[in-house]
Amino acid sequence: MRFGLDVPTTGEYGDARVLAQLAREAEESGWDGFFVWDVLPEGQPVIDPWIALTAIALQTSRIRIGLLVAPLARHRPYLVAQRLANLDQLSGGRVICTVGLGDGSETFAAFGEEGDMAVRARQLDEGLTILHGLWTEDRFSYSGEHYQLREVSLRPRPVQVPRIPLWVAGGWPYRAPFRRAARWDGVSFKSINAREQRWLSLDEFRSGVAYVRSQRTQSGPFEIVMSGETPRDRRQGSDIVTPFREAGATWWIEEGLGWSLEEYRERIQYGPPV
């Protein structure tokens, strides 16, 4: 199992220099991944994730970096492909991208973005196809409901071959995101039951793992990512994490939601739960 961090980009965290320093401390403390938010401003400071990730890439050398979660429907997918390829080059092949529909339809609508989840889902599927095509084909064309590309090429390509890993975020028990994830490189479970708004139980996680595996039609590596919170005490942390690892989780992502910067920095410096 690998261990990552889900790091805010708002409020105290809304400074690329702060996040780059935090990422360097995380790398020194033994964490395997440092993933930042991609959110719209809602009355508080927020740092653009692309600027933050550039600073993070320059201040680290080993830790995996990326977005958690990128709402692909409100981005031009060909620009996302270019930016992530550039980041992969800059970081020496350390980028992971997690995508999803994004939260808060009202916030999306306030900025003139698509608020309908069904439409955003179709945009997301088209966007994923475009990322894959631009990263793997010399000349790529696409004609869909929302995007059209004609004989375009992307240079430089990502360092990683065949491409940057794509994970899909999903809130169990909603199954559509898990069917989507099964077509790509990994699924990132939200830490709460999306329907009942409570912590996801171990049995529910097992059900989600079984479902996404049943939807896989290809072989190859597939990451199963679980998120949550663990205390500083490593024995207690291990007691929380180990059952999820035994149930199939390959990553544990420590959440920073609700933590002050100094509280989260202290947790990060203490290291992974096992």
Side-chain angles (χ1 to χ4, degrees):
M1 176 179 272
R2 294 182 180 181
F3 297 93
L5 298 158
D6 180 14
V7 186
T9 53
T10 60
E12 297 177 279
Y13 300 87
D15 185 320
R17 292 161 295 191
V18 169
L19 292 175
Q21 175 62 32
L22 202 62
R24 184 165 62 183
E25 294 170 7
E27 185 171 81
E28 292 170 351
S29 299
W31 296 89
D32 302 299
F34 192 93
F35 305 107
V36 300
W37 295 4
D38 179 3
V39 296
L40 292 167
E42 294 186 74
Q44 58 179 324
V46 59
I47 184 66
D48 183 283
W50 305 110
I51 294 173
L53 285 169
T54 300
I56 289 164
L58 291 170
Q59 288 294 314
T60 56
S61 61
R62 176 192 60 81
I63 201 167
R64 302 300 297 267
I65 64 174
L67 297 163
L68 188 67
V69 174
L72 196 54
R74 68 170 170 81
H75 293 291
R76 296 288 185 180
Y78 56 85
L79 292 179
V80 173
Q82 180 185 48
R83 290 165 180 163
L84 288 173
N86 290 165
L87 277 167
D88 208 48
Q89 289 282 338
L90 183 63
S91 67
R94 294 186 283 124
V95 171
I96 296 170
C97 181
T98 307
V99 300
L101 295 183
D103 294 324
S105 295
E106 291 182 2
T107 302
F108 271 56
F111 285 89
E113 300 289 348
E114 179 59 60
D116 189 295
M117 287 287 195
V119 176
R120 278 155 58 182
R122 295 195 296 273
Q123 289 177 295
L124 174 55
D125 285 328
E126 290 190 22
L128 284 164
T129 299
I130 290 169
L131 294 184
H132 173 77
L134 289 174
W135 288 337
T136 60
E137 297 186 22
D138 290 331
R139 305 288 294 180
F140 178 68
S141 296
Y142 182 81
S143 180
E145 178 185 357
H146 300 283
Y147 309 110
Q148 292 79 40
L149 284 75
R150 297 185 184 90
E151 289 294 310
V152 294
S153 61
L154 178 69
R155 295 291 186 276
R157 286 187 182 179
V159 172
Q160 298 177 81
V161 177
R163 56 168 170 71
I164 292 166
L166 292 167
W167 299 348
V168 176
W172 189 257
Y174 297 124
R175 285 164 168 73
F178 291 81
R179 291 194 295 271
R180 179 176 296 114
R183 301 194 294 269
W184 299 99
D185 308 308
V187 61
S188 181
F189 280 75
K190 294 183 179 181
S191 60
I192 61 171
N193 180 298
R195 186 172 292 155
E196 300 180 12
Q197 298 299 303
R198 54 168 174 76
W199 292 111
L200 193 72
S201 72
L202 180 59
D203 285 342
E204 289 167 333
F205 175 76
R206 289 192 183 105
S207 295
V209 170
Y211 182 76
V212 75
R213 285 176 172 167
S214 75
Q215 299 299 304
R216 291 278 288 165
T217 60
Q218 56 191 338
S219 59
F222 187 77
E223 303 291 352
I224 296 175
V225 185
M226 182 58 192
S227 300
E229 295 180 1
T230 61
R232 289 180 53 181
D233 184 282
R234 282 198 173 91
R235 179 172 293 180
Q236 293 179 14
S238 179
D239 288 343
I240 294 171
V241 169
T242 297
F244 288 98
R245 176 180 58 79
E246 292 173 345
T250 60
W251 278 81
W252 175 269
I253 304 295
E254 193 78 17
E255 295 183 331
L257 184 62
W259 296 65
S260 72
L261 176 60
E262 288 310 309
E263 288 172 336
Y264 201 27
R265 168 172 274 128
E266 183 179 355
R267 176 67 193 87
I268 288 169
Q269 290 175 344
Y270 194 72
V274 294

